Amino acid sequence: MTSSDSAANKRLGSGNELRPETAVQFVKGIGPERARALQAEGIETVRDLLLILPRRYEDRSNLAPIRSLKPGVRNTVCGRIVAVSLKRARRMPIFEAVVEDASGRIKCVFFGQAYLRDSLKVGRRVVLYGAPEWDRFGGGLALHSPDSEILDDGEADPDRVDGALIEAAIHMGRVVPVYEKRAGLLPKIWRRTLTHLVRSLPESFGEPDLLAADLREDLGVVGLRQALSAVHDPGPEDDLSALNSARSRGHLRMILEEFFLFAVGLAAKRLDRRPGVVVPSSDAAREMAKRVLPFPLTAAQKRVLKEIAADLGSGREMSRLLQGDVGSGKTIVAILAMLLPVAAGKQAALVAPTEVLADQHFLTLTRILAPAGVRVLRLSGRMKSKERKEALAAIATGEAPVVIGTHALFEPDVVFRSLALAIIDEQHRFGVIQREELRLKGEGVHALVMTATPIPRTLALSFHGDLDTSVLDEKPPGRLPIRTSHRFDSQRPRIVEAVKRHLGEGRQVYVVCPLVEESEKLADVRAVTELTQAWSDWLPGTKVTALHGRLPRDEKGAAMDSFVRAETQVLVSTTVIEVGVDVPNATLMVIEQAERFGIAQLHQLRGRVGRGRHASECLLVTRAYPSDEAKQRIDALVASEDGFFLAEKDLEIRGPGEFFGTRQSGRGLFQAGDPVRDRELLIRARDLADNWWRTAVPEHPLRRYARSDQWTRRFGLSQVG
C-alpha cells in the first residue's frame, strides 16, 4: 500500500478512526457530490450528520404471512419475486412485481420507478413493508410503492427464510428509523448511511465527552456513543412508544445535551458580561420621576424598575428583556429608566422599528418629560441635511440627553457624547447585531429590549436566553376589558351600525386591513385605498383618513396627528398602528380579513383600544369560511385578553419556529430538542447550566467550548433577535 493510499484510508474515517470533526464527505455512502448538498444545509462533519434525528420509528420486526394481510394495516412480509412487468399509463411508467411466500401471493405496484426492474428481478427474495390497498384494476389486494429490501440474489434455497439475513437488513426485520428527505437524499439513503455510520463508530467516539461523568449523572443520561446507537440503530430492547415520543434513553441524552450546551453558552454571555458604566440611583433622578409621573405605578412596574436600577448600578453591562402585555405600561418604565442616566449627566436612546412608532414615542416622551425640563430629540433618516446636521451636533455635545429614532440611530455618523442606556422597542424586529451596534456608541452601554409579544418561558430561554428577563404582569388600574366578537363579511350592516354607535358616543374608530392596494395574488383582500372609500360611503359626513407605510413621512404624521386631535373619526390603516399608538378616545377596532393575521398581531392591534376610561370593543371580520387554523386563532382572541395564554395557544398552532419567524430551510436552532414538547427538560437544563457555570473551574473544557466558534456554529440561529 502506498503512502497516499494510507492517507486516503485515514481521511475516510474507516473503523475506529471516525471522529466528530471528520468531514462528512468521508463517511461511507456520502462522497463529494452528496457532501456538497449536505454542506449547503450546514451539515459539514460527522457530528452534524449524527444530529439529524429520525422523525419517527416503525416496527418492521414481525413477519406476517401474505395471506393474513388486511387493507390499510401496515405489515412486513418476506417472499420471492415470481413475476415482473413494466407498463405505461398516461406516460407514467408503472413497474409491477408479484411476490410469493408459502401462504400466497401479492402484487406490488411502483409508480414512476421503472429503474426498479434492474434490482427487483425474478428469483430474488425481498422483504416488503407497507399497507395493502384494493387494486383499482382488480385482482385483490396490492402493495402500492412499499419499502423494499433485497435479501439475496436468487441463488439460495427458495423455501428457506434466513433469519440472519433479515436481522442484518437495514430497512426491514427490526424497528427502523424513518428520516425526512433532506439535501436531495431519500429517507432510505439517510437510514442506510446513518445505520452504517453508528455501527462503525468506535467506543471512544466523542471522548472526552463534553458531558463528563458527573454531568451525565446530574442530567441522568447515558454516554454519547450509546445514545447515538439507540437513536439511529435501535435494538429489540428499545421501546417503540418511547422512541416515537422522543423519550428513549438515546433521545433524552441528545435533548438534554443540546439544551445544556446551549444554556451553558448563554450563561457565558449572561453571567460573564463586560464592565458597564455605573449609573447610580440618585435623589435627582427620584425628584425628576416625581415631576413626570402621570399616575401611580403598579406593583409590577415598581418591581421591574428596581431590577433595572440594580443592573445600572452593578458595574456590569445590563442586558435585560422587558416583557409586557398590551397596555401593561412598558413606556413609562422606559421613561423612568432613562431618567437615571439623564440625572447623572449621561444620555439615553430609544430605538423603534417604524417611523410611526418613533413619532409616537417622540410625542409621548416630549409631553411627559417636559415638567422635568428634559430635552427629547427625534432623529430620522428622512431629515433634511441642515436639520440632521443640527441634530447630530446636539447628540455629539450632549445637549440632547434623550434621543428617539429608528434604524437611523445605527448610522456611523451618529456619535453620542456619553450614551449610557439603549432601549430597543419591539426587540423581535431587530437583530442581536443591531443591538450590539448601538452599544458600540459608548463605553459599557446598558441595553434594555422591550416586547409587547408575550413569550412563554421556554421560548424566552431559547431565543432570548442571553438576556435577564423582567415581566410586567398586571395592567394599570381602571383599564376596562375589551369585548371581542367575530363577524363575517356578510354581516356588514351590523358592523357599520357598531361603528356608528361608537361615533355617536363621541368616540373614534380604527379599521385595519392587510394591504395597501389590491394585488393579483390576494385579490380578495380589501386594500386601504379601496376600504377608505368604502367607509366614506357607509359613513357620509364622517372624516375617514387613510394611513399606511407607503405614505410620505409628512403625510403619515399628518394623518396620525389628525386622529390624535380627534379631527379624524375613522382611521383606516395597515398594521403600522400595531404597536405604540396611544389614542384613549379610540374605542372600536375593526380588523378586516382577520383570518390573514396571526394571534400576536391580532392581540397587538386589539390593544390600540381600551386605553381610556370608556368601554371598548374589537370586531374580527372574516370571510364566510376561514380555515380551521384561522378559526382557532379567531376563537382564541374572542375567548381571552391574556397575552401569555394567547402566546401558548399560538405555539400550539404554529410551533416555535413560526412563532419567532426563524423557521428556515435546513437547520433550525435545535436538532434534538423541541422547546414546546420538551419545555420541562429545557428549564431543567437551563437551571443546571447556570449553577454549573457559577461553580466550574475556569479552565474547564466546557467553558472554552461555550465561548468558541464551535458553539456559535452549532447554535447559529440563537443570534436571531
Side-chain angles (χ1 to χ4, degrees):
M1 178 183 292
T2 66
S3 59
S4 61
D5 289 336
S6 175
N9 283 341
K10 186 173 182 179
R11 288 164 58 220
L12 285 171
S14 59
N16 59 9
E17 292 172 3
L18 274 175
R19 299 176 182 230
E21 62 273 14
T22 300
V24 71
Q25 73 182 79
F26 302 127
V27 172
K28 181 179 179 181
I30 299 297
E33 186 175 343
R34 285 177 175 169
R36 282 191 290 272
L38 292 171
Q39 287 163 359
E41 293 200 13
I43 305 168
E44 300 178 358
T45 65
V46 168
R47 178 186 288 106
D48 297 335
L49 199 62
L50 290 168
L51 287 174
I52 305 300
L53 303 188
R55 63 180 300 185
R56 70 175 189 277
Y57 296 81
E58 294 176 348
D59 186 357
R60 304 181 183 179
S61 58
N62 297 317
L63 288 179
I66 289 176
R67 190 171 184 175
S68 70
L69 297 182
K70 292 181 170 52
V73 180
R74 289 182 173 273
N75 271 300
T76 305
V77 297
C78 179
R80 179 93 44 197
I81 300 173
V82 295
V84 296
S85 64
L86 183 62
K87 305 175 181 178
R88 285 192 176 273
R90 297 180 181 177
R91 300 184 182 178
M92 175 185 286
I94 300 175
F95 178 74
E96 295 182 355
V98 178
V99 176
E100 179 183 72
D101 70 1
S103 71
R105 293 183 173 189
I106 192 165
K107 181 167 66 174
C108 304
V109 184
F110 301 89
F111 299 96
Q113 300 177 65
Y115 61 87
L116 290 176
R117 63 184 173 182
D118 297 328
S119 56
L120 298 182
K121 295 182 178 180
V122 171
R124 289 189 169 175
R125 190 159 74 252
V126 294
V127 178
L128 306 165
Y129 178 79
E133 302 174 25
W134 291 109
D135 188 2
R136 70 184 69 175
F137 303 109
L141 290 176
L143 287 168
H144 289 174
S145 299
D147 285 334
S148 61
E149 176 79 357
I150 299 171
L151 294 183
D152 63 43
D153 58 6
E155 296 179 359
D157 182 350
D159 296 323
R160 181 174 60 89
V161 175
D162 192 331
L165 281 172
I166 295 177
E167 187 66 25
I170 298 297
H171 308 292
M172 302 292 169
R174 64 184 186 123
V175 172
V176 299
V178 179
Y179 300 84
E180 290 183 333
K181 179 181 179 181
R182 288 184 61 174
L185 302 186
L186 295 171
K188 198 170 183 177
I189 296 174
W190 278 106
R191 185 183 306 126
R192 179 184 301 118
T193 301
L194 285 164
T195 302
H196 283 307
L197 176 58
V198 296
R199 289 179 181 178
S200 63
L201 293 178
E203 288 300 322
S204 60
F205 181 83
E207 295 292 345
D209 196 336
L210 281 173
L211 298 185
D214 59 335
L215 281 174
R216 292 200 299 272
E217 184 176 351
D218 288 341
L219 290 167
V221 297
V222 300
L224 178 61
R225 173 69 179 78
Q226 186 180 357
L228 290 170
S229 179
V231 167
H232 292 291
D233 189 22
E237 72 280 5
D238 291 300
D239 179 73
L240 182 65
S241 63
L243 288 166
N244 276 319
S245 61
R247 288 299 177 267
S248 72
R249 59 200 170 104
H251 283 91
L252 288 174
R253 156 67 198 233
M254 302 298 287
I255 293 168
L256 281 165
E257 173 194 295
E258 185 171 52
F259 285 165
F260 180 78
L261 295 181
F262 177 70
V264 164
L266 294 182
K269 292 173 170 54
R270 190 175 62 258
L271 302 177
D272 285 359
R273 291 206 180 111
R274 297 168 293 194
V277 58
V278 177
V279 181
S281 298
S282 65
D283 291 338
R286 282 186 281 272
E287 184 59 36
M288 293 171 79
K290 289 177 184 177
R291 290 187 211 161
V292 305
L293 269 178
F295 44 72
L297 296 177
T298 65
Q301 288 172 321
K302 291 177 182 177
R303 183 188 69 243
V304 169
L305 281 167
K306 187 175 180 180
E307 292 168 349
I308 293 171
D311 283 350
L312 294 181
S314 69
R316 293 188 313 141
E317 281 186 347
M318 175 176 72
S319 287
R320 184 166 290 277
L321 171 68
L322 173 56
Q323 289 192 74
D325 205 348
V326 176
S328 60
K330 293 183 303 301
T331 302
I332 195 64
V333 168
I335 291 172
L336 295 176
M338 286 178 166
L339 291 179
L340 290 168
V342 169
K346 301 185 183 300
Q347 292 170 290
L350 190 153
V351 186
T354 66
E355 295 278 355
V356 169
L357 183 53
D359 287 341
Q360 184 73 22
H361 278 316
F362 175 67
L363 293 173
T364 301
L365 268 68
T366 299
R367 173 174 52 83
I368 292 178
L369 290 175
V374 177
R375 180 186 176 187
V376 181
L377 185 144
R378 164 84 163 87
L379 184 70
S380 167
R382 298 181 181 180
M383 281 181 166
K384 293 180 180 178
S385 178
K386 181 181 178 182
E387 186 185 8
R388 179 178 174 81
K389 187 175 180 181
E390 291 173 351
L392 292 176
I395 295 171
T397 61
E399 293 175 34
V402 174
V403 183
I404 312 295
T406 58
H407 298 73
L409 288 182
F410 301 132
E411 296 296 326
D413 62 347
V414 180
V415 179
F416 289 83
R417 182 180 68 83
S418 56
L419 182 64
L421 173 62
I423 300 178
I424 299 177
D425 200 7
E426 291 306 307
Q427 156 68 5
H428 64 282
R429 302 196 185 184
F430 294 98
V432 170
I433 292 174
Q434 289 172 310
R435 188 205 313 164
E436 291 303 312
E437 283 177 352
L438 191 56
R439 277 185 132 156
L440 293 175
K441 301 289 184 180
E443 291 290 333
V445 177
H446 301 283
L448 176 67
V449 297
M450 304 193 301
T451 179
T453 303
I455 307 168
R457 187 184 178 205
T458 48
L459 289 193
L461 296 182
S462 304
F463 291 85
H464 299 298
D466 60 325
L467 305 173
D468 295 311
T469 302
S470 294
V471 178
L472 290 173
D473 50 9
E474 61 179 311
K475 292 186 179 182
R479 288 287 176 93
L480 298 174
I482 303 168
R483 186 161 58 89
T484 304
S485 306
H486 178 201
R487 295 283 183 267
F488 293 111
D489 197 56
S490 58
Q491 298 173 305
R492 183 62 55 182
R494 290 182 62 187
I495 298 168
V496 174
E497 282 304 313
V499 172
K500 288 180 178 178
R501 174 166 44 82
H502 282 263
L503 296 178
E505 295 170 356
R507 307 283 81 81
Q508 292 165 271
V509 176
Y510 293 104
V511 176
V512 176
C513 65
L515 293 180
V516 176
E517 57 192 21
E518 289 289 356
S519 73
E520 293 180 4
K521 290 184 178 179
L522 299 174
D524 60 330
V525 181
R526 291 179 180 271
V528 171
T529 49
E530 175 194 321
L531 208 56
T532 302
Q533 183 60 53
W535 277 101
S536 297
D537 294 340
W538 294 328
L539 303 168
T542 301
K543 184 172 181 181
V544 181
T545 300
L547 174 65
H548 55 76
R550 295 186 191 176
L551 284 175
R553 184 189 165 202
D554 292 345
E555 292 184 32
K556 279 193 292 188
M560 198 65 237
D561 289 345
S562 175
F563 194 65
V564 170
R565 293 193 300 267
E567 296 168 359
T568 291
Q569 285 82 48
V570 177
L571 185 68
V572 181
S573 174
T574 57
T575 56
V576 293
I577 55 101
E578 179 184 346
V579 291
V581 177
D582 188 3
V583 181
N585 193 50
T587 56
L588 175 60
M589 168 68 68
V590 179
I591 303 177
E592 302 278 357
Q593 300 287 295
E595 70 271 17
R596 296 190 181 275
F597 295 95
I599 284 180
Q601 261 193 322
L602 291 172
H603 184 53
Q604 288 290 328
L605 290 167
R606 177 172 60 182
R608 296 311 98 208
V609 297
R611 307 179 80 81
R613 56 188 177 84
H614 307 289
S616 295
E617 188 177 1
C618 177
L619 299 181
L620 305 175
V621 184
T622 71
R623 57 190 172 187
Y625 300 104
S627 68
D628 290 343
E629 186 176 308
K631 187 66 165 56
Q632 289 183 63
R633 296 196 297 268
I634 300 298
D635 290 346
L637 265 292
V638 171
S640 177
E641 274 192 82
D642 183 338
F644 286 91
F645 166 81
L646 293 173
E648 293 284 359
K649 199 71 181 174
D650 207 5
L651 274 181
E652 292 176 17
I653 297 172
R654 295 196 293 161
E658 292 293 350
F659 184 93
F660 277 94
T662 59
R663 179 166 295 172
Q664 300 180 356
S665 59
R667 304 187 66 183
L669 177 60
F670 296 122
Q671 296 294 290
D674 181 310
V676 180
R677 180 195 67 200
D678 306 320
R679 62 188 70 192
E680 291 181 4
L681 297 179
L682 177 59
I683 292 171
R684 177 180 160 201
R686 153 75 179 245
D687 292 343
L688 180 61
D690 279 3
N691 292 333
W692 181 88
W693 188 264
R694 291 186 176 98
T695 58
V697 294
E699 62 274 13
H700 196 287
L702 194 50
R703 281 185 174 270
R704 292 196 299 272
Y705 171 80
R707 298 188 180 101
S708 69
D709 292 340
Q710 187 180 350
W711 185 94
T712 300
R713 189 172 73 84
R714 176 166 180 178
F715 299 109
L717 285 184
S718 66
Q719 304 308 309
V720 175

